[in-house]
Amino acid sequence: MAEDLIHDRTAGIERLLEIMRRLRDPETGCPWDVEQTFATIAPYTIEEAYEVADAIERSDWAELEGELGDLLLQTVYHTAIGEEEGHFSFQSVVQAISDKMVTRHPHVFGDESRDKSAEQQTADWEKIKAAERAGKSQQGTLDGVAIGLPALLRALKLQKRAARVGFDWPSTDEVLDKIIEESRELVEARDRLSQAEIEEEFGDLLFVMANLGRHLGLDPEAALRAANAKFTRRFAGVEAKLAERGKTPAQSDLQEMDALWDQVKEESRES
């Protein structure tokens, strides 16, 4: 019975699917859950994915277990809505991703040899993906790069796609030259152009910075997350030193906080 399944802690994914069916039941479910749509749930899906990444960044494995469960719930949520609207089901989603993994790994599940480099495997993977895009009438090089990705991540993916067909600078030197050029254009825009034009030039500079990260073999998104974390740690150190003086940041000024910032920065190097 459904009620027994809901309270069976050993029932695995079937239990979670049944819980979602109950939550979404128009007559007996949760009013909030019943009202949700793909569009209203999507922001939570993105948020949960970032919380998974955050737990990994902090090596908090207990937290990661919970966050992975939250992310799994998002998949169950979307598939429940898809099933209600006749688009797909949880089982069809599982079948589709399983088929994709088998197709994309002929060296594991097919007759191809596993005796090849990681670079060759990546190249083969991209050929298979290109064939899949062609089957979906996605003929353009940049077709299929999701618009809803975080802008920095999408910039990286767009640049990687373009590089595969030869549209790329040969070295970091040209990228650094472009950064200098875009920086000058941003300064000029700041002094004499509209806010919209300033924003455009700022976007161009960010786009080239993402490209520099790619050429350096770095993940721009990860690099910026690390920079955010470092800023958070150091500013917390500034606040702590101000507290020792009986102050808050609002009671301080830039000169004092900048000096404390340098102290915190030096102390972090020594530790």
Side-chain angles (χ1 to χ4, degrees), residues 83-194:
E83 187 166 5
E84 292 163 8
E85 297 183 1
H87 302 309
F88 47 77
S89 67
F90 183 83
Q91 296 304 329
S92 71
V93 168
V94 170
Q95 179 180 333
I97 188 59
S98 298
D99 290 345
K100 181 187 291 185
M101 289 299 98
V102 170
T103 300
R104 290 188 178 180
H105 294 83
H107 57 293
V108 176
F109 303 110
D111 299 329
E112 289 191 9
S113 171
R114 292 181 64 250
D115 186 19
K116 50 183 160 181
S117 66
E119 291 77 12
Q120 183 59 52
Q121 289 182 8
T122 300
D124 291 348
W125 175 279
E126 294 303 333
K127 288 178 183 177
I128 294 170
K129 288 172 66 176
E132 290 173 356
R133 288 195 297 271
K136 296 178 182 177
S137 298
Q138 295 177 349
Q139 302 297 331
T141 300
L142 305 182
D143 288 351
V145 179
I147 295 175
L149 288 172
L152 196 56
L153 178 58
R154 187 163 193 263
L156 185 64
K157 286 184 173 290
L158 290 170
Q159 292 162 4
K160 284 182 176 180
R161 285 278 188 90
R164 287 183 205 133
V165 296
F167 192 73
D168 194 15
W169 282 297
S171 73
T172 56
D173 292 339
E174 291 82 4
V175 186
L176 289 167
D177 289 342
K178 189 65 175 176
I179 288 173
I180 294 171
E181 176 188 330
E182 294 294 351
S183 298
R184 288 172 178 162
E185 290 180 1
L186 179 58
V187 171
E188 293 173 4
R190 179 202 62 185
D191 294 337
R192 61 185 180 82
L193 299 179
S194 68

Side-chain angles (χ1 to χ4, degrees), residues 9 32 62 73 109 112 130 139 220 240 249 252:
R9 299 186 64 202
W32 186 89
L73 178 64
F109 303 110
E112 289 191 9
Q139 302 297 331
S252 182

Side-chain angles (χ1 to χ4, degrees), residues 211-225:
N211 212 345
L212 177 61
R214 182 178 63 85
H215 274 264
L216 293 173
L218 305 173
D219 177 351
E221 194 78 28
L224 186 55
R225 282 201 305 270

Side-chain angles (χ1 to χ4, degrees), residues 51-52 55-56 58-70:
E51 290 182 358
V52 166
I56 293 172
R58 293 183 286 106
S59 299
D60 190 335
W61 311 130
E63 184 76 11
L64 178 60
E65 179 183 32
E67 297 299 346
L68 287 171
D70 291 343

